[in-house]
Amino acid sequence: MAEKLTDIELDGISSTRTLDRETTGTEENVETSLGLVHVRVQGDRSKTAILTYHDIGLNDITCFHGFFSYDDMHDILNHFCVYHVNAPGQEEGAMPLGLGATDGSHPDVFQYPSVDQLADMILPVMQHFQIRRFIGVGVGAGANILTRFALCHPKAVDSLFLINPTCQKAGWTEWAYQKMNVFYLKKGTMTEFTKNYLLWHWFGDKTLEDNHDLAHVFKEAANKVNPVNLCYFIESFIRRSDLGIVREHDTAKKHEVRTLHCNVMLVTGDNSPHVDSTVDMNSKLDPMETTWMKIADCGGMPLEEQPEKVCDAFRLFLQGMGYVPSLSQCKIVEKRASSHHR
């Protein structure tokens, strides 16, 4: 059966956006057996849950706040409650991890959760907020973590909207660069080498060349990350195992193999450094439940570079599952036109 591959050609949207540091919603620390999880809740908790998980070097604010504050998202979010989950120690203003050893002075004895354990920590978050099922939105490392959770708890996940996901273990090139980053970060230093790697990981070369303003904003944000805490998160991510997912063509045997049993949308930009990883993951998932989307004129961070098109894709993805049926494209176009003429 032919792959469902969508290549959307878009007009370039010049980005003059900056990271909005003002947060909305309430923030809570959820206690788990593996440590505290910082969660920011946005919306009415009685409504359907959307749960987000960020990429390495980012947090709920730098990864998602700009997109979820985008004008076109407001009408969608009226129907949902969003739970922004931060990996331990990655939230803004986080205290250094590893200082809770017996004598309080040996951070090396601290054991950061593996990616599988990070996925396991989502369950107590669900229990804390009394979430039965959620729509997952993950970027990069966060997409991998949400996928791991969905594989272990298929009944808890309604669907997955994944940006730049990977289902493979780290390759040699990624491992080598990240080991260098870990070496510097463990010393408590955010070097130019690490910042440049993170910018490439987030955006890719073309966006860095074409959109200096956006790159500058995120480079400044990298300066505010706790280096040691980021070191732990990166170490966990590069030690990830292959997800082991398999595409089974025999319908009768689909439930016998390791795969996702929910609707999945995989999103990437045509200039993203992670295009090949998303294509590989798409090739291993059920084509009847998976859509792969490549956005033209976009690098590795579609939420920042092409928020309008990602918003349209997200709305259509939700409507395909019966959510927000009243939101029509015509109304959205009219709203955009009126806002442009103000």
Side-chain angles (χ1 to χ4, degrees), residues 100-139:
T102 305
D103 61 1
S105 61
H106 297 290
D108 287 341
V109 304
F110 176 74
Q111 292 295 315
Y112 195 81
S114 67
V115 284
D116 289 307
Q117 290 174 321
L118 289 171
D120 290 340
M121 294 170 80
I122 294 173
L123 195 58
V125 170
M126 293 182 67
Q127 294 167 344
H128 177 85
F129 292 107
Q130 299 182 330
I131 302 170
R132 293 183 60 188
R133 285 166 62 85
F134 66 78
I135 298 163
V137 179
V139 178

Side-chain angles (χ1 to χ4, degrees), residues 32-38 53-59 85-91 94-100 106-121 141-142 145 182 186 225-240:
T32 77
S33 61
L34 296 166
L36 292 177
V37 177
H38 186 83
Y53 215 116
H54 59 86
D55 199 1
I56 57 170
L58 301 174
N59 55 45
V85 176
N86 288 279
Q90 308 306 308
E91 70 272 12
M95 296 297 292
L97 296 170
L99 298 181
H106 297 290
D108 287 341
V109 304
F110 176 74
Q111 292 295 315
Y112 195 81
S114 67
V115 284
D116 289 307
Q117 290 174 321
L118 289 171
D120 290 340
M121 294 170 80
I145 290 166
V182 166
K186 192 167 285 187
V225 173
N226 185 297
V228 176
N229 292 1
L230 176 57
C231 162
Y232 289 130
F233 190 24
I234 289 177
E235 279 192 308
S236 283
F237 187 53
I238 62 173
R239 291 173 179 168
R240 67 186 182 272

Side-chain angles (χ1 to χ4, degrees), residues 65-81:
H65 186 62
F67 177 69
F68 280 89
S69 298
Y70 189 66
D71 284 346
D72 288 1
M73 283 296 293
H74 292 167
D75 291 336
I76 294 176
L77 293 182
N78 287 334
H79 300 267
F80 299 93
C81 183

